[in-house]
Amino acid sequence: MKKSFATRPLLTLLAAATLALPGAPLNAQVNLPALGDSVSQDLDIGTERRLGDQVMRQIRVDPDYVLDPLLQEYLEGIWTPLVNAGRKLGHIGDETQARFAWEPFLVRDKSVNAFALPGGFVGTHLGLIAMTTSRDELASVLAHELSHITQRHIARRIAGDSRNSMVAVAGLLLGILAASRGNIDLANAGIVGGQAAATQLSLNFSRDMEREADRVGFNVLVEAGFAGSGMVGMFERMEQAYHLMDSGAYPYLRSHPLTSERIGDARTRLALEPFMRPRGLAEHALMAARARALMDPRVEAWKVLENYDAGARNIKESGGYEQLGARYAAALSSIKLRNFDRAEASLRSAELTLQLIAPSPVETAAAKRLLTYLRAELAQARGRPADGIAALDQLPGEKSRPMLMQRVGLALASGPAATSGPALREAADALQTHVSLEPNDAYAWSQLALIWEKLGQPLRAVRAQAETRAAAGDLNGAIDRLRSGLRQSRGADADQVEASVIDARLRTLVYERQSILAEMYRGRYIPPDVELPN
């Protein structure tokens, strides 16, 4: 059985990635260009994206790569305006816009961290979301990381003498990790929390780059409609956390060290901006609470959170948002612990707290929506799908991805196919439409596979399983599943139309894998059955 990345030493993984590039040097000489120099010949946009894809193929198959629809939607709701603002301000050119991924993703880790990867990927630890008090604070971190990407800091940091950029980068990553083997925590860290942190270590930016990311990030933050006070507030919270660094809870401080100069510059910029009151506090409190409950999936952690609302300050002292978040976290933790009566009580308490806070109508509607989803989640866990559907019906006309996934979950919880067939087929049709428009949605494919299994459609289930792997970047796993499907299609009663689809898709993925290998091995002949290195 394939090991989880949490059990695979980071150095071994990047060594394998380096050895996959023939001739990779073990000690890359790195000469950083002056800030503002062109780096296109050292690490062009296409090469940087391919490097990011290589790293993401490892990250997406890790169990700590979070696929929670609500948190992902919230993260993207902050990220997308920042990208649009960066483009409006001229920081993102047409080629970079088209070639880079501009993809944020979530990592199940309780430490406070975020990191940029080559090619426009930005990871956010759930611990970071959990410790922020407003969406503006979270947006300030994402704006800073976005600016590292738009200013090509990653390419500047890893550009070297060699014109064979992929080899130089792989050698650099391996060399830096080898130099840090004395750090036991780093050597034993997992690929998502560990490789991402180690990759960020290898991309520690100069002070000039950090200052530039602060300046550009602040402008992007404000242009996107967020309060500039979010960056100052985040800096101040990080400054207070300096004494906690040795606990390992704040790796962001190691890769982005704060200085009094950076904090002072941020305060100066804020003084020049019109005052803007933070918005969306209720919604953020709920999403921070969700992150808190999901970042540590141990029973012991959930038991602590189940009583979290008892220790929160009262509504008058905290404005109510702390209590709102605490009760949401308590309810979700009780659902995970299957203490459903306790979950119901905490959820009702959260709903009452929202009424007492009484934010603006828009903010109230956003918070009520999230509490409605939690009620549907509770109904699904209790095996009462009708109650969940009734809850979701309170959100008429919503066609979001979280709505689709929640309704699919309720359909799967509706009992055997003999009684829930219509609901399952409706969910299958909706998912099939969704993946035709979003073919890289691995979570949607995985849910579709479960539905086809329940409906007694084994070939369709196998194909959906293969597409799940392909969407996650695991081409080897996808090809294996499709070949298994072809073997199953030899039965007399097999669906030959579906078999033809599987055969065509298999040929496409084999060709795609060959193309990637050809790029990695610089045109050498690669037999068709050679797999991508893991």
Side-chain angles (χ1 to χ4, degrees):
M1 184 175 68
K2 188 175 182 179
K3 291 184 179 180
S4 163
F5 290 126
T7 64
R8 298 169 67 186
L10 182 54
L11 188 59
T12 302
L13 284 166
L14 283 209
T18 304
L19 294 176
L21 302 172
L26 291 180
N27 296 294
Q29 297 296 319
V30 179
N31 296 315
L32 296 182
L35 198 65
D37 285 354
S38 171
V39 295
S40 60
Q41 293 184 356
D42 295 290
L43 190 70
D44 61 34
I45 289 173
T47 302
E48 185 177 340
R49 172 62 190 272
R50 288 193 294 274
L51 176 62
D53 286 338
Q54 276 189 284
V55 177
M56 289 304 298
R57 277 197 292 272
Q58 300 288 336
I59 289 177
R60 287 195 184 101
V61 296
D62 188 85
D64 287 331
Y65 178 80
V66 178
L67 295 172
D68 184 77
L70 280 174
L71 280 172
Q72 185 66 33
E73 178 192 60
Y74 187 64
L75 183 68
E76 290 176 357
I78 295 174
W79 173 256
T80 300
L82 294 172
V83 174
N84 292 338
R87 183 169 176 79
K88 183 177 179 181
L89 292 171
H91 303 314
I92 301 175
D94 291 340
E95 184 182 9
T96 308
Q97 173 73 24
R99 298 291 294 274
F100 276 13
W102 306 111
E103 179 183 324
F105 62 93
L106 295 161
V107 178
R108 182 178 289 104
D109 195 305
K110 60 184 179 180
S111 63
V112 177
N113 201 16
F115 51 89
L117 293 174
F121 301 95
V122 169
T124 303
H125 286 199
L126 295 187
L128 173 65
I129 300 176
M131 69 85 66
T132 54
T133 60
S134 71
R135 66 176 192 142
D136 303 289
E137 289 183 357
L138 178 57
S140 74
V141 177
L142 295 177
H144 182 98
E145 295 304 315
L146 174 67
S147 298
H148 279 314
I149 296 171
T150 62
Q151 303 307 300
R152 302 297 310 281
H153 289 166
I154 296 174
R156 295 177 190 180
R157 175 63 183 88
I158 59 183
D161 290 336
S162 172
R163 292 296 181 254
N164 190 347
S165 299
M166 294 294 285
V167 172
V169 169
L172 175 62
L173 293 177
L174 179 60
I176 291 175
L177 286 176
S180 63
R181 274 184 289 185
N183 186 330
I184 298 176
D185 291 335
L186 177 60
N188 293 328
I191 186 69
V192 173
Q195 177 171 319
T199 301
Q200 190 65 40
L201 260 180
S202 73
L203 303 176
N204 277 345
F205 303 117
S206 69
R207 289 189 177 185
D208 284 341
M209 290 179 179
E210 289 295 346
R211 282 194 291 266
E212 185 176 42
D214 288 344
R215 174 180 57 79
V216 174
F218 185 89
N219 292 336
V220 168
L221 182 73
V222 174
E223 179 66 31
F226 297 100
S229 58
M231 181 171 284
V232 176
M234 197 67 194
F235 277 171
E236 290 174 346
R237 291 166 67 80
M238 287 290 186
E239 186 179 30
Q240 294 171 0
Y242 260 132
H243 67 282
L244 299 175
M245 278 184 58
D246 288 341
S247 70
Y250 288 81
Y252 195 76
L253 287 175
R254 301 183 189 278
S255 57
H256 296 72
L258 285 174
T259 63
S260 57
E261 179 184 4
R262 289 180 64 201
I263 298 171
D265 287 346
R267 288 171 178 157
T268 300
R269 293 188 195 99
L270 179 62
L272 299 176
E273 291 293 326
F275 174 76
M276 179 184 293
R277 188 180 302 277
R279 295 173 295 171
L281 293 176
E283 184 182 16
H284 185 80
L286 295 175
M287 286 295 90
R290 187 171 185 85
R292 192 174 296 115
L294 297 181
M295 70 185 185
D296 189 349
R298 296 176 303 152
V299 170
E300 295 82 0
W302 285 331
K303 286 183 177 179
V304 171
L305 286 179
E306 192 175 41
N307 299 306
Y308 192 56
D309 54 341
R313 291 177 296 171
N314 62 42
I315 292 176
K316 290 183 179 180
E317 291 177 344
S318 66
Y321 298 112
E322 182 179 340
Q323 277 284 0
L324 179 64
R327 286 164 180 168
Y328 183 100
L332 182 54
S333 298
S334 294
I335 292 172
K336 298 295 184 182
L337 293 169
R338 304 191 68 79
N339 294 336
F340 298 132
D341 291 340
R342 179 69 177 272
E344 176 66 36
S346 295
L347 179 52
R348 288 184 177 179
S349 180
E351 292 168 340
L352 177 60
T353 301
L354 180 61
Q355 293 178 17
L356 295 174
I357 297 173
S360 70
V362 173
E363 295 188 20
T364 298
K368 279 185 175 180
R369 172 180 179 265
L370 295 177
L371 292 175
T372 298
Y373 274 111
L374 186 60
R375 183 161 293 285
E377 199 169 344
L378 172 59
Q380 179 180 334
R382 300 185 86 160
R384 299 178 182 176
D387 292 346
I389 293 171
L392 294 181
D393 286 344
Q394 299 175 28
L395 303 171
E398 180 171 331
K399 297 181 179 180
S400 65
R401 181 173 178 269
M403 174 65 77
L404 172 62
M405 298 309 168
Q406 188 65 68
R407 288 192 180 277
V408 168
L410 291 167
L412 285 168
S414 296
T419 57
S420 62
L424 287 170
R425 282 188 286 272
E426 182 180 350
D429 289 343
L431 277 176
Q432 200 70 59
T433 300
H434 174 76
V435 295
S436 68
L437 299 173
E438 302 289 343
N440 293 323
D441 191 337
Y443 183 72
W445 280 112
S446 69
Q447 296 299 95
L448 186 57
L450 294 176
I451 290 178
W452 287 133
E453 283 182 355
K454 205 166 183 181
L455 287 173
Q457 298 283 347
L459 283 186
R460 293 186 178 186
V462 168
R463 185 197 161 203
Q465 291 167 4
E467 296 292 0
T468 301
R469 307 311 300 172
D474 180 12
L475 293 185
N476 296 333
I479 290 169
D480 287 345
R481 295 307 299 154
L482 290 174
R483 285 175 174 163
S484 172
L486 279 185
R487 288 192 294 270
Q488 293 181 42
S489 70
R490 294 172 187 149
D493 58 346
D495 183 344
Q496 293 307 308
V497 174
E498 189 64 28
S500 297
V501 173
I502 288 175
D503 181 63
R505 185 62 173 144
L506 175 60
R507 293 173 187 272
T508 299
L509 291 186
V510 168
Y511 177 79
E512 184 178 339
R513 184 171 69 180
Q514 286 296 103
S515 299
I516 294 174
L517 287 167
E519 173 68 27
M520 293 173 65
Y521 287 92
R522 301 293 172 189
R524 298 182 190 177
Y525 171 72
I526 308 296
D529 289 334
V530 172
E531 295 187 351
L532 286 168
N534 290 319

